[in-house]
Amino acid sequence: MPRKTEIKDYIRTIVDFPHEGIMFRDVTTLFADPRGFRMAVDQLLHPYAGVRFDKVVGLEARGFILGGAVAHQLSAGFVPIRKKGKLPGAVISEDYQLEYGEAVVEIHDDAIEAGEKVLLVDDLLATGGTAEAGIKLVERLGGEIIGCAFVIDLPDLGGRKRLEAMDMDVHTLCTFDGL
């Protein structure tokens, strides 16, 4: 078996999941490999060496895995952004558009303090809708997003351009063409 040297080498593609025509980029194979997982966390952090972060925000659900590891390495707090109805306590919500319909994400209303520096982390950047909703939640609480870090970018879906149009610094580890 050839040695895996790039993040892409650890990511499995599942054809026609969750429905026909989709090439699902599965990061669970990356997470399962200790070397690959470590490489991903290190590379997500690399452009932010020397930057102080107060919190890392992870988007549900694979962003929790990455975000927790990144927060640990930064000695920063971790904050989950979850689907509606999953967080106990007082929350604020943000609606966003899906390919077919709408969704809502939430954050605890006391999770970010005004002026805190935040890194947003997730596994995949597709259309950017979920990330944009997460950014809006953090900003509504007074946090400042310093960067947005993702393992995979699907550039054909326009997420990077969407976030960059919001003046966000976007860092990705690899790209896959298509859907």
Side-chain angles (χ1 to χ4, degrees), residues 72-164:
H72 173 75
Q73 288 299 106
L74 292 172
S75 296
F78 174 76
V79 176
I81 291 183
R82 302 222 49 200
K83 295 174 183 171
K84 183 178 181 171
K86 299 291 185 180
L87 290 172
V91 297
I92 61 170
S93 302
E94 187 70 33
D95 296 344
Y96 66 101
Q97 296 297 312
L98 295 170
E99 187 176 350
Y100 300 105
E102 274 192 6
V104 179
V105 289
E106 297 178 328
I107 190 171
H108 280 123
D109 67 0
D110 61 355
I112 307 285
E113 294 182 23
E116 285 189 316
K117 309 291 187 214
V118 177
L119 177 63
L120 182 137
V121 176
D122 203 2
D123 67 317
L124 178 78
L125 178 58
T127 66
T130 308
E132 180 179 2
I135 291 164
K136 288 178 178 179
L137 287 171
V138 169
E139 290 177 341
R140 283 172 49 201
L141 293 175
E144 180 186 353
I145 300 279
I146 302 299
C148 301
F150 304 89
V151 173
I152 301 168
D153 182 15
L154 302 178
D156 295 344
L157 297 179
R160 174 185 285 274
K161 289 180 183 174
R162 181 178 190 164
L163 298 184
E164 288 174 343

Side-chain angles (χ1 to χ4, degrees), residues 2 12 17 22 28-29 32 36 52 57-58 61 63 66 72 76 88 93 97 102 105 113 122-123 129 137 149 168 177:
R12 169 174 54 190
F17 182 83
I22 300 295
T28 63
T29 49
R52 182 188 64 80
V57 169
L66 292 162
H72 173 75
S93 302
Q97 296 297 312
E102 274 192 6
V105 289
E113 294 182 23
D122 203 2
D123 67 317
L137 287 171
M168 291 294 127
D177 294 330

